[in-house]
């Protein structure tokens, strides 16, 4: 049975990495090959699926992660990240620095893909934690919670928008409902959840290649306006694209905004501007600036490979049609349409790892229920979105992004990331059911 194959694969992965200390990239490739064969694929077909998954994942993420890493490195090496952190701490106070980080991530998360938001904000997380003298995860977990919540619930993200289209949902209504649900989800999965951990368990060793612990003097740092503007250029460009798509779909400027709002292009533009604002204008020579660029890329090489291998595992599960197996089981259920939609998406998320596949498959199965049961299509879309971000584990690229950027063990990642996204998912389901009582 497909579920048995998944369980065997996950167990082997944990054995290879935790017991034998094998590199995560190699472990994921071995497990992906084994699961594909167990599911009836020939060895060559399983390897083809792995190559396709690796390529499609890195094709989507490679430039985003590389340019994001470069931008973050330039920001930290120039003192720009320290300037932003010090200003936020000054305005909000050290006791409310977590709130400042959550608000920043929530605003950034409206426009950016989850992966893009992580690479843009991760230097800021490290710097705020260092400046405020708090554990990295005390800031990092709420920031990640805000990003993944916006990614799952709030259009114009591609996932929620595509799911809304399947259900025929109104984007404006879904945006409003999504934000209403996102607020308690972020609070509970972020600041509240971190309070359940002892301080020492939130400590982690920051990867040296991603963060410069140097403390800058006042005169050495760029101004706050310059620093924050350079940091949020990707947000501005991607938000502009989203605004034009929603409110000016027939505008002649749409081809241009589609181009500059592409995450890879937006980050490339940001890097070019950062070379000037964080480098040349601060009196740095080009060789020194390019040294920061080289260090940033070398520091994220293994992160890229591990994320790509996670995508390969996901692709093997999809190509072996495990998603169809679960869909067939759930299709005849008599549960509430909202609960059924969430459950299908949640099971698919756990099985195949991809939030997009989980949400879209659940939407395809449950779409006919909208007219038959008279349920709000916006709430059905949000139920699918909530289910699609539930318990994330080793078959999800997001799991590995979080694990590698925060330099955690698999056990630490499951206790923090996997539980955190499950809280968000459950709060999302509760919010959908509650709103349904009043509309």
């Amino acid at each position: 049975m497909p579920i048995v194959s998944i369980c065997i694969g996950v167990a082997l992965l944990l054995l290879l990495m935790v017991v034998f200390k094998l590199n995560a990239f190699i472990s994921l490739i071995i497990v992906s090959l084994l699961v594909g064969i167990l599911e009836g694929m020939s060895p060559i077909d399983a390897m083809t699926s792995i190559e396709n998954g690796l390529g499609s994942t890195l094709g989507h993420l490679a430039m985003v992660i590389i340019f994001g890493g470069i931008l973050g490195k330039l920001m930290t090496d120039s003192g720009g990240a320290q300037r932003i952190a010090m200003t936020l701490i000054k305005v909000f106070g050290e006791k409310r620095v977590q709130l400042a980080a959550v608000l920043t991530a929530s605003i950034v998360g409206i426009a950016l893909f989850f992966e893009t938001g992580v690479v843009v904000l991760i230097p800021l997380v490290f710097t705020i934690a260092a400046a405020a003298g708090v554990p990295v995860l005390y800031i990092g977990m709420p920031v990640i919670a805000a990003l993944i919540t916006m990614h799952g619930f709030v259009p114009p993200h591609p996932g929620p928008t595509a799911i809304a289209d399947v259900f025929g949902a109104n984007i404006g209504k879904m945006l409003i409902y999504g934000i209403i649900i996102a607020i308690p989800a972020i609070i509970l999965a972020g600041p509240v959840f971190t309070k359940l951990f002892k301080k020492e368990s939130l400590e982690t060793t920051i990867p040296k290649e991603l963060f410069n612990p140097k403390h800058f003097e006042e005169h050495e740092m760029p101004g706050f306006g310059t620093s924050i503007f350079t940091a949020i250029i990707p947000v501005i460009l991607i938000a502009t694209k989203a605004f034009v798509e929603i409110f000016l779909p027939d505008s002649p400027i749409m081809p241009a905004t589609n181009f500059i709002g592409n995450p890879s292009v937006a980050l490339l533009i940001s890097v070019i501007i950062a070379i000037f604002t964080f480098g040349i204008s601060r009196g740095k020579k080009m060789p020194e600036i390019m040294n920061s660029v080289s260090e940033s890329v070398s520091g994220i090489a293994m992160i890229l490979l591990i994320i790509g291998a996670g995508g390969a595992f996901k692709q093997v599960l999809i190509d072996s049609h495990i998603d169809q197996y679960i869909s067939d089981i759930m299709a005849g259920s008599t549960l509430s349409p909202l609960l059924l939609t969430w459950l299908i998406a949640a099971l698919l998320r756990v099985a195949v790892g991809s939030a997009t596949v989980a949400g879209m498959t659940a939407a395809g199965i449950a779409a006919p229920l909208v007219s038959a049961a008279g349920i709000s299509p916006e709430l059905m879309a949000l139920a699918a979105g909530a289910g699609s971000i539930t318990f994330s584990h080793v078959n999800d690229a997001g799991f590995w992004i979080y694990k590698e950027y925060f330099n955690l063990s698999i056990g630490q990642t499951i206790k923090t990331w996997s539980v955190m996204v499950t809280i968000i998912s459950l709060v999302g389901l509760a919010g959908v059911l509650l709103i349904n009582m009043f509309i």
Side-chain angles (χ1 to χ4, degrees):
M1 290 178 63
I3 302 301
V4 175
S5 301
I6 295 174
C7 292
I8 292 173
V10 171
L12 177 61
L13 184 64
L14 294 174
L15 180 69
L16 291 174
M17 291 185 61
V18 177
V19 178
F20 294 106
K21 310 298 182 185
L22 191 63
N23 174 274
F25 174 75
I26 299 172
S27 299
L28 280 163
I29 298 300
I30 292 171
V31 168
S32 300
L33 185 60
L34 174 67
V35 171
I37 293 171
L38 287 175
E39 279 303 296
M41 301 171 73
S42 69
I44 192 65
D45 286 342
M47 186 52 69
T48 299
S49 184
I50 289 169
E51 292 170 351
N52 291 339
L54 188 73
S56 62
T57 301
L58 292 183
H60 168 59
L61 291 178
M63 285 196 291
V64 169
I65 291 175
I66 290 170
F67 288 141
I70 293 171
L71 178 62
K73 185 68 172 172
L74 292 173
M75 186 162 63
T76 55
D77 284 357
S78 67
Q82 183 179 320
R83 171 68 75 186
I84 296 172
M86 289 176 61
T87 304
L88 288 174
I89 292 170
K90 183 178 179 180
V91 171
F92 285 87
E94 288 194 12
K95 292 184 178 179
R96 292 186 292 274
V97 70
Q98 198 180 54
L99 173 62
V102 167
L103 288 174
T104 302
S106 298
I107 294 169
V108 167
I110 291 174
L112 294 189
F113 291 99
F114 170 72
E115 298 87 352
T116 313
V118 171
V119 297
V120 168
L121 290 181
I122 208 74
L124 199 57
V125 168
F126 294 155
T127 309
I128 290 175
V134 296
V136 171
L137 290 180
Y138 179 79
I139 302 296
M141 286 171 61
V143 164
I144 297 298
L147 289 175
I148 195 65
T149 300
M150 291 299 182
H151 181 82
F153 294 148
V154 181
H157 279 290
T161 303
I163 292 171
D165 184 63
V166 174
F167 282 109
N170 180 285
I171 292 293
K173 285 184 179 180
M174 187 175 171
L175 181 66
I176 294 170
Y177 295 158
I179 291 175
I180 291 172
I181 293 171
I183 292 171
I186 292 170
I187 293 172
L188 290 173
V192 173
F193 184 46
T194 58
K195 295 185 185 302
L196 301 180
F197 293 87
K198 294 180 180 179
K199 183 178 179 180
E200 56 269 22
S201 66
L202 295 177
E203 295 282 6
T204 181
T205 304
I206 300 171
K208 291 186 293 184
E209 301 86 353
L210 299 178
F211 180 66
N212 182 358
K214 175 185 175 182
H215 181 79
F216 293 86
E217 299 297 328
E218 180 68 25
H219 67 278
E220 295 178 309
M221 296 182 287
F224 177 74
T226 299
S227 300
I228 197 71
F229 171 72
T230 307
I232 65 170
I233 287 171
V235 182
I236 295 171
L237 296 177
I238 294 171
T240 300
K241 171 179 178 285
F243 179 87
V244 172
E245 285 179 341
I246 294 171
F247 298 106
L248 302 169
D250 300 320
S251 170
I253 67 170
M254 193 166 177
T257 56
N258 281 343
F259 175 70
I260 64 171
N262 176 283
S264 298
V265 175
L267 280 162
L268 172 60
I269 293 171
S270 305
V271 166
I272 293 170
I273 293 173
I275 288 173
F276 176 77
T277 58
F278 290 148
I280 295 172
S281 69
R282 305 296 303 165
K284 292 186 176 183
K285 302 297 182 182
M286 191 60 78
E288 183 183 0
I289 300 170
M290 290 303 103
N291 184 54
S292 290
V293 171
S294 298
E295 287 180 359
S296 70
V297 175
S298 63
I300 60 179
M302 184 51 68
I303 293 176
L304 268 176
L305 289 176
I306 292 170
I307 291 168
F313 188 21
K314 175 197 72 178
Q315 191 63 45
V316 167
L317 296 175
I318 293 171
D319 289 348
S320 60
H321 305 298
I322 289 175
D323 55 341
Q324 188 60 51
Y325 171 80
I326 294 174
S327 300
D328 291 342
I329 291 175
M330 298 302 300
S333 176
T334 56
L335 290 173
S336 155
L338 291 172
L339 183 58
L340 176 64
T341 302
W342 178 89
L343 187 58
I344 294 171
L347 288 172
L348 288 167
R349 163 68 156 174
V350 173
V352 303
S354 170
T356 303
V357 170
M360 290 297 289
T361 304
I365 294 168
L369 298 176
V370 171
S371 56
I375 299 290
S376 161
E378 292 78 29
L379 292 182
M380 290 287 279
L382 286 168
S388 74
I389 58 172
T390 197
F391 191 81
S392 162
H393 59 99
V394 295
N395 62 356
D396 175 29
F399 178 95
W400 297 101
I401 290 173
Y402 176 90
K403 176 189 178 300
E404 295 302 316
Y405 270 107
F406 288 112
N407 199 22
L408 304 174
S409 68
I410 286 184
Q412 289 174 310
T413 308
I414 291 173
K415 284 191 290 187
T416 55
W417 160 263
S418 300
V419 176
M420 179 174 67
V421 294
T422 303
I423 292 171
I424 293 168
S425 178
L426 292 171
V427 173
L429 173 62
V432 164
L433 295 174
L434 189 61
I435 293 174
N436 187 56
M437 295 171 60
F438 295 97
I439 62 171

